């Protein structure tokens, strides 16, 4: 045997290719364990657990990021159904809203403008009182700057005729007041009337002519719409609170807002939707980053399991490594064999995780309601999370990033065990064989 080894050392085999067929075959063979192989079965069990960890981490990360993307998109859609892209707010009011609207429409990015009056009030129906924001709108122009008309559950914005003192309530607000279409509610404003008996609150009875429901608790439970002329009378204003604008691209709102500050003919505050609701989107973005880091750690733990499994494999296969070296295999070839073994675990785990994650993310609207019915619970309380359902927005970039990270971690996990295998001394390994 020593003579044969000597002859082989005198005439070494050619250097193998970066990934030769025998390296691939040996790497695949080491990944599998024969039935009744004892320690080999245990090592393969650890490799299987590592693969399951990668599947779980990748799938969970895809689902969570898809849900966070969907939540952010749904939140933005529902906010902009009631809010506008940009608001020009008076300090405290705007006397000539037509001039402000004309100046804003001169910007090519601005597509529509509508004045509004905004005030706080207490709404009363029977023995029930609820605080709300009362917004005076122009029914003919409101649909051009917001989509609230598409979310009417009863009546229409056109029913807010001037002088008739009609009111449109959010769905949750109407239910809290116990009122329906055609009934009356009393609007109590904080601006009082000064009388001989002291300052008394200003009261006005309005008729419910419409109910809207955008699916966002903040608006559905705390917003009421009336005609802008009625709002001026109610709050005794000579002008309007501001002008709402709609753009051709909602993401251009910050840039357009800065441009309008230089061109508006009045002293006013210009706020875009990203500033008005920055806390919502900032919170979602922070949660998305934190969840990405936490779930990536699951993949990292699975990668550490790959290291332990391969180190045990190298220890168990020292005799095989020594024989391969004696037959002419180079250290680089031995290293490639164990890199193939670890990379295969990573590839299978990542591919399976991506498939499971994509499947769940695309069917989250079916899975979550089924689980809610099964456990008789509601995962999202709209009084806390603003929306009551779980949306999903699967993005290709997220899937590719997650798959790339998982494959990279799995590949890095193979380097040390493969390097250790390449350093096995054939003479020492075969001494007691």
């Amino acid at each position: 045997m020593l003579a044969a080894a000597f002859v082989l050392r005198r005439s070494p085999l050619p250097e193998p290719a970066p990934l030769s067929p025998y390296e691939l075959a040996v790497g695949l063979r080491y990944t599998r364990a024969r039935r009744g192989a004892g320690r080999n079965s245990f090592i393969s069990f650890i490799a299987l657990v590592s693969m399951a960890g990668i599947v779980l981490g990748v799938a969970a990360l895809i689902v969570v990021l898809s849900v966070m993307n969907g939540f952010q998109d749904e939140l933005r859609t529902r906010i902009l159904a009631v809010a506008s892209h940009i608001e020009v707010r008076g300090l405290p009011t705007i006397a000539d809203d037509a001039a402000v609207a004309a100046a804003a429409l001169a910007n090519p990015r601005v597509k529509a403008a509508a004045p509004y009056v905004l005030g706080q009030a207490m709404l009363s129906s029977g023995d029930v009182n609820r605080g709300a924001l009362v917004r005076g709108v122009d029914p003919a122009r409101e649909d051009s700057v917001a989509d609230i008309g598409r979310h009417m559950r009863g009546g229409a914005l056109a029913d807010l005729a001037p002088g008739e003192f009609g009111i449109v309530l959010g769905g949750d607000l109407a239910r809290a007041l116990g009122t329906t279409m055609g009934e009356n509610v009393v609007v109590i404003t904080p601006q009082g009337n000064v009388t001989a008996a002291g300052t008394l609150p200003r009261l006005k009875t309005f008729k419910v002519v419409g109910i809207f429901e955008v699916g966002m608790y903040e608006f559905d439970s705390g917003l009421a719409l009336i005609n802008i002329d009625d709002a001026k009378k109610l709050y005794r204003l000579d002008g309007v609170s501001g002008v709402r604008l709609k753009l051709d691209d909602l993401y251009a709102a910050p840039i357009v807002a800065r441009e309008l500050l230089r061109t508006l003919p009045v002293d006013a505050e210009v706020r875009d939707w990203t500033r008005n609701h920055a806390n919502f989107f900032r919170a979602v973005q922070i949660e998305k980053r934190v969840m990405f880091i936490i779930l990536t750690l699951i993949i990292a733990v699975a990668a550490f399991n790959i290291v332990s499994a391969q180190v045990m494999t190298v220890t168990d296969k020292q005799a095989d490594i020594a024989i391969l070296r004696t037959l002419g295999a180079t250290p680089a070839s031995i290293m490639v064999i164990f890199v193939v073994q670890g990379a295969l675990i990573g590839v299978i785990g990542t591919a399976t995780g991506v498939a499971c994650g994509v499947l769940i993310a695309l069917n989250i609207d079916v899975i979550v309601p089924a689980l809610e019915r099964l456990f008789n619970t509601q995962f999202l309380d709209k009084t806390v999370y603003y929306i009551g359902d779980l949306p999903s927005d699967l993005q290709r970039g997220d899937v590719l990033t997650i798959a790339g990270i998982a494959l990279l971690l799995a590949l890095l996990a193979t380097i040390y065990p493969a390097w250790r295998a390449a350093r096995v001394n054939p003479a020492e390994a075969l001494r007691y064989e």
Side-chain angles (χ1 to χ4, degrees), residues 2 23 27 29 62 69 85 116 130 137 143 161 178 201-202 204 212 220 262 296 325 358 370 388 430:
L2 292 176
E23 292 169 347
R29 182 180 180 84
I62 290 175
N69 291 334
H85 296 166
Y116 72 96
R130 288 291 184 273
V137 299
D143 279 337
R202 193 178 306 154
K204 183 61 182 177
F212 68 87
D220 291 341
R262 298 190 297 266
T296 302
R325 289 291 309 279
V358 169
L430 294 176

Side-chain angles (χ1 to χ4, degrees), residues 30-49 309 312-313 316-317:
Y30 283 174
T31 304
R32 305 190 307 271
R34 297 184 303 274
R35 182 173 299 177
R39 186 175 177 181
N40 286 342
S41 297
F42 178 70
I43 295 172
S44 293
F45 173 74
I46 297 177
L48 186 63
V49 170
M312 294 179 65
T313 302
D316 187 61
K317 301 294 185 182

Side-chain angles (χ1 to χ4, degrees), residues 117-173:
V117 170
L118 189 65
Q120 295 180 338
M122 180 75 74
L123 274 60
S124 177
S125 176
D127 296 330
V128 182
N129 299 312
R130 288 291 184 273
L133 286 176
V134 175
R135 179 187 294 168
V137 299
D138 183 349
R141 301 166 66 182
E142 183 65 16
D143 279 337
S144 65
V145 296
D147 298 329
I148 196 168
R150 302 177 185 176
H151 299 274
M152 298 297 295
R153 295 294 178 262
L157 290 180
D159 296 330
L160 294 175
E164 295 186 4
F165 294 97
I167 189 170
V168 174
L169 302 177
D172 289 327
L173 180 59

Side-chain angles (χ1 to χ4, degrees), residues 79-320:
I79 285 175
L80 294 180
V82 178
S84 56
H85 296 166
I86 293 179
E87 289 184 5
V88 181
R89 299 179 179 177
L91 300 173
T93 60
I94 296 176
D96 190 357
D97 60 273
V100 172
L105 290 170
N107 189 303
R109 308 300 297 270
V110 180
K111 298 304 179 183
Y116 72 96
V117 170
L118 189 65
Q120 295 180 338
M122 180 75 74
L123 274 60
S124 177
S125 176
D127 296 330
V128 182
N129 299 312
R130 288 291 184 273
L133 286 176
V134 175
R135 179 187 294 168
V137 299
D138 183 349
R141 301 166 66 182
E142 183 65 16
D143 279 337
S144 65
V145 296
D147 298 329
I148 196 168
R150 302 177 185 176
H151 299 274
M152 298 297 295
R153 295 294 178 262
L157 290 180
D159 296 330
L160 294 175
E164 295 186 4
F165 294 97
I167 189 170
V168 174
L169 302 177
D172 289 327
L173 180 59
R175 285 187 287 271
L177 292 171
T179 187
T180 58
M181 295 281 295
E183 296 185 354
N184 294 330
V185 297
V186 178
V187 178
I188 308 169
T189 66
Q191 296 86 358
N193 294 319
V194 179
T195 66
T199 302
L200 299 178
R202 193 178 306 154
L203 309 177
K204 183 61 182 177
T205 300
F206 283 76
K207 181 180 179 180
V208 179
V209 297
I211 295 176
F212 68 87
E213 195 153 11
V214 298
M216 188 168 180
Y217 185 75
E218 179 188 9
F219 298 133
D220 291 341
S221 65
L223 181 63
L225 305 179
I226 62 177
N227 188 278
I228 191 169
D229 293 334
D230 297 340
K232 290 179 181 180
K233 295 176 183 177
L234 180 65
Y235 291 101
R236 295 183 179 177
L237 297 177
D238 295 328
V240 298
S241 299
V243 177
R244 287 147 49 85
L245 308 176
K246 185 173 184 178
L247 310 181
D248 58 351
D249 180 9
L250 63 93
Y251 297 105
I255 299 174
V256 176
R258 289 192 294 269
E259 294 174 353
L260 292 176
L261 277 174
R262 298 190 297 266
T263 59
L264 290 177
V266 297
D267 186 17
E269 179 186 12
V270 181
R271 294 181 65 90
D272 62 88
W273 66 273
T274 62
R275 292 179 59 192
N276 288 338
H277 305 280
N279 55 331
F280 295 154
F281 299 104
R282 191 177 296 117
V284 172
Q285 196 65 29
I286 292 174
E287 290 175 3
K288 183 178 176 181
R289 292 172 184 170
V290 172
M291 293 304 297
F292 183 87
I293 294 172
I294 292 174
L295 294 175
T296 302
L297 292 178
I298 297 178
I299 304 175
V301 170
F304 278 114
N305 288 337
I306 294 176
V307 175
S308 62
Q310 283 204 281
V311 168
M312 294 179 65
T313 302
V314 170
T315 303
D316 187 61
K317 301 294 185 182
Q318 285 192 1
D320 295 358

